[in-house]
Amino acid sequence: MLQRSLLRWYAGHQRNLPWRKKRDPYWIMVSEFMLQQTRVETVLPYFERFLKLFPTLPSLAQASLHKVLKAWAGLGYYARARHLHQAAKIIWRNFAGKIPSTKKKLLSLPGFGPYTAGAVASLAFNRPEPALDGNVRRVLLRVHGLWKSVPRNRLEKILEKFIKKFIPAGRASDFNQALMELGALICIPSQPRCPSCPVKNFCSYQRGGDKGKKRSGKKIRKEVWTVALVEQEGRFLLHRQEGKGLLAGLWQFPIVRVNKKGDAGELKKVKELKERKALRRMLQEKFGLRIKIKGSLPPQDHSFTHIQVTMKPFLCSVVRLSSALPVSKNVRWIKPVNFSRYPISKAMSKIAALIPDPPPREATSG
Ligand code: ADE
């Protein structure tokens, strides 16, 4: 039977992952938020550090968002951190600090979609709910030869039904994790390791069905951002992004999204002049600053979920400082040595790393 072979294989081959040490709902909730769109190896050090800082749900609920974002800085997709923090507060306030065990209640919390709700309900509370992530979806599609025969819009519902029927009684936690593990270690996207697979005898893919047929991936959008490194006496202008965008709640250098369409065939020089002009205008309008662009630094690429960004950094200085520098709750002038005190995205850290060291100070006597 497929289930028995899979569970036996999982017992002997599962990775020793920290959130599996004990079935602690809080650990599982934190790990599942971190693992959304992020690889296990990347998550490991963040998970350990996060739990040292926030060892329990109340400690997370009572922490400031600033501190939570800071612990998350570098992991990307910061909405996850904001939602996790909000969810912890709601659980603390409305559920007496106990993470709900049903998928329905979990779905009412910020940041919980069908996958995360199913994962926490099954992994932490052994509820027979599907936890369909990319790995599990691939395993099921291959095993059951559904790769091309199921219309895309009905796929999710069909797979959920399938898996619900399949979960062995009382073993939802292990079974779902075994499927995840199979997808991560054996049934990998390209060149799956079929000879080592514990369910090969039950698998349509292994029998030659639908090999190599890929569903089309999601479209990646390309963007170009110009980034202003505005310096004033060794400090740089950073501001905190408000609202709900990609970098909301994080500190960043001012940017302008460049209109990629522009005029086709426009000369590079003309295009760059326009970019510089747009950067100057934004700094004037948003921060009341007149700046001079002193030079450019090498462009940096960064990938967000569905956006591939090329960031073009410009070193700028402030001209004719007629009034005080703008400073507010969301606008600061920060020395590079102090950047690490602020939650800054990985994308912006790449830019910060380009800032040249200040010239050494002259030795003073006396
Ligand atoms: N990916 C998502 N959740 C996971 C888990 N609990 N273990 C390993 N990989 C995962």
Side-chain angles (χ1 to χ4, degrees):
M1 214 176 144
L2 182 147
Q3 289 97 320
R4 204 172 315 139
S5 304
L6 181 61
L7 284 169
R8 200 177 311 130
W9 170 84
Y10 178 64
H13 291 83
Q14 64 174 286
R15 287 168 295 176
N16 184 14
L17 301 175
W19 48 89
R20 290 184 183 157
K21 277 191 200 142
K22 53 178 183 165
R23 203 182 278 172
D24 182 314
Y26 174 64
W27 288 23
I28 289 169
M29 178 170 92
V30 172
S31 69
E32 287 304 333
F33 269 73
M34 288 190 167
L35 287 161
Q36 291 165 13
Q37 297 128 328
T38 307
R39 297 162 59 83
V40 166
E41 304 79 61
T42 310
V43 163
L44 287 172
Y46 283 90
F47 180 79
E48 304 272 7
R49 205 150 37 88
F50 198 88
L51 279 189
K52 278 207 183 94
L53 288 167
F54 315 109
T56 58
L57 185 128
S59 64
L60 178 60
Q62 287 162 351
S64 68
L65 177 62
H66 177 93
K67 211 174 155 202
V68 175
L69 284 170
K70 176 100 183 47
W72 205 276
L75 199 52
Y77 310 117
Y78 298 92
R80 296 181 297 177
R82 288 189 290 276
H83 288 150
L84 177 62
H85 186 229
Q86 284 167 5
K89 285 181 166 198
I90 294 171
I91 294 166
W92 176 240
R93 210 179 329 119
N94 300 353
F95 295 90
K98 293 234 174 312
I99 296 173
S101 64
T102 64
K103 184 170 175 182
K104 193 165 172 218
K105 282 191 183 147
L106 289 164
L107 276 171
S108 73
L109 296 167
F112 279 86
Y115 166 75
T116 308
V120 172
S122 61
L123 270 52
F125 300 103
N126 221 7
R127 298 255 174 183
E129 296 288 356
L132 271 176
D133 69 357
N135 279 339
V136 174
R137 209 172 283 125
R138 184 176 60 254
V139 170
L140 295 179
L141 287 169
R142 282 181 177 160
V143 168
H144 296 290
L146 297 172
W147 205 240
K148 58 183 177 186
S149 57
V150 178
R152 206 185 175 109
N153 54 356
R154 290 180 45 217
L155 190 63
E156 210 66 14
K157 282 273 158 292
I158 289 178
L159 288 180
E160 283 195 359
K161 253 195 185 158
F162 232 98
I163 203 169
K164 263 194 148 169
K165 269 200 236 151
F166 254 137
I167 296 174
R171 302 295 307 273
S173 180
D174 285 342
F175 185 71
N176 279 350
Q177 290 187 86
L179 281 173
M180 291 176 188
E181 208 69 347
L182 192 69
L185 302 180
I186 304 283
C187 196
I188 52 181
S190 55
Q191 302 190 329
R193 302 170 178 138
C194 298
S196 317
C197 180
V199 301
K200 60 175 179 256
N201 294 340
F202 310 94
C203 182
S204 103
Y205 189 88
Q206 163 67 17
R207 287 193 294 269
D210 301 331
K211 272 194 179 150
K213 300 278 192 309
K214 256 195 163 177
R215 286 175 172 274
S216 62
K218 285 190 182 141
K219 268 209 176 138
I220 304 279
R221 189 169 85 231
K222 289 194 174 166
E223 284 190 5
V224 177
W225 298 355
T226 47
V227 184
L229 292 164
V230 188
E231 193 227 322
Q232 173 71 14
E233 292 180 350
R235 294 168 190 266
F236 287 82
L237 172 63
L238 278 119
H239 70 107
R240 182 161 48 187
Q241 186 72 31
E242 290 194 280
K244 288 192 161 188
L246 212 51
L247 301 174
L250 298 168
W251 289 82
Q252 63 174 79
F253 300 107
I255 61 165
V256 173
R257 288 186 166 80
V258 176
N259 181 1
K260 282 270 292 174
K261 290 197 179 103
D263 289 335
E266 199 169 53
L267 284 174
K268 201 169 161 227
K269 209 167 161 193
V270 175
K271 204 164 145 191
E272 189 161 318
L273 277 175
K274 279 190 178 173
E275 287 172 7
R276 288 170 178 240
K277 196 170 160 196
L279 203 59
R280 277 198 296 270
R281 191 181 325 127
M282 178 273 291
L283 287 158
Q284 172 84 60
E285 285 171 4
K286 198 161 171 182
F287 301 95
L289 281 174
R290 279 197 54 204
I291 58 116
K292 178 169 176 255
I293 296 180
K294 294 194 297 183
S296 58
L297 292 167
Q300 304 291 309
D301 290 331
H302 190 80
S303 294
F304 297 93
T305 338
H306 295 119
I307 312 173
Q308 200 175 14
V309 179
T310 301
M311 296 177 290
K312 295 167 97 176
F314 290 93
L315 275 172
C316 317
S317 58
V318 180
V319 247
R320 270 203 307 116
L321 201 57
S322 53
S323 54
L325 288 175
V327 175
S328 70
K329 185 167 109 265
N330 291 326
V331 178
R332 300 250 171 97
W333 295 81
I334 304 168
K335 285 187 185 160
V337 290
N338 293 331
F339 284 167
S340 61
R341 295 192 193 158
Y342 292 77
I344 292 178
S345 69
K346 210 171 205 166
M348 287 296 143
S349 299
K350 286 184 187 172
I351 301 295
L354 301 173
I355 294 176
D357 286 335
R361 281 180 171 217
E362 304 230 336
T364 49
S365 56

